Amino acid sequence: MESVRMSAKEKVKEKPQQRVYEDIEDLPSVGAATAEKLREIGFHTVEALATAAVSELVAAGISDKRAAEIIAAAREASEIRWVTAKQLAQYKTTIGKITTGSRAIDNLISGGVETQAITEFFGEFGSGKSQLCHQLAVNVQLPPERGGLGANALYIDTENTFRIERITSMAKHLGLDPDEVSERIIYAEAYTSDHQILLLEKADKVIKENNIRLIIIDSLTAHFRSEYLGRQVLAERQQKLNKHLHKLIRLARAFNAAAVVTNQVMARPDEFFAHSAVSPVGGHIVGHTSHTRILIRKSAGKNVRIARLVSSPHLPEGEAVFKITENGVEDVEEGEVKSR
Ligand code: GTP
Ligand code: MG
């Protein structure tokens, strides 16, 4: 008897109830031309399409009906559908946590930086925001028993402050091979706010192909701040930033990744975010439910820093003391901090 050879992909497609679409072309009603259009507007993967809005696809010249069909198929494939509260609870159990390197901060945020959500580190210059980003980019690679996710990091650097030497010393301290660790950090520098937006819009493919579970934007706000000066452009700035954050949270949910952003603020935190960037003013979808904010400030002791959990969807406010050393982000030993 002649045997029929079939790829694993075709085999899966045979089963009508449980379809797996590997590429966007595999979705019903997505031909080569539509796939091209979708890619142009930043949808390279089925996962990203599952969280798309019809209007976004329509903007690329796809009809309403078709857009709805494509999104529905992508959702079905990605298993995004109505769930019971019990199923929701189970989905939440897939939330991963990445250690910050400091047990004190981890405790403050109930175990580490969470996937499926945005964590913002904000504070003055030199407070340690970028150091935390470097540390997390290394720590995400640790196995779960050491506080990582055994996965890789995407690093969008807007101020050219990423330092490979820091990664090397942090990796060495953890007994990891620095070369391997740096191979697992996918890096891009963003030159302007538009470039930053574009990088994220095109990120879904690289996230999927590289087992990314941590998306870092350091700094989220620097370009926006320097490019949009004055009251008259404030609304436009916030609108762009909103959209950017919206994209970020959708990527974090689609790929079960942690999103970490930094935001430099003066000693007296300004109202940058209060004006709706992430607060649900106007009913925006990126509400505070997915946003944890941690203020980092310098302290009296050498290298000592204080992390203050300022807002979280489900945790009480609180503070943690940590330090930044040659090894990276660490706990302070008892007696090390006298008084502040
Ligand atoms: P801005 O980006 O300017 O807003 O600051 P930031 O909050 O990102 O600060 P960053 O994370 O760059 O922190 C810089 C501080 O980290 C330095 O002032 C040092 O205190 C500390 N730091 C950085 N590298 C090292 C290191 O190799 N050894 C030690 N001991 N400390 C370091
Ligand atoms: Mg920095």
Side-chain angles (χ1 to χ4, degrees), residues 124-131 159 166 264 303 305 324-326:
E124 276 187 275
F125 73 95
S127 55
K129 304 179 292 293
S130 297
Q131 295 301 312
E159 299 181 297
R166 278 306 270 157
Q264 194 197 82
N303 300 330
R305 301 288 192 274
I324 304 168
T325 70
E326 177 62 26

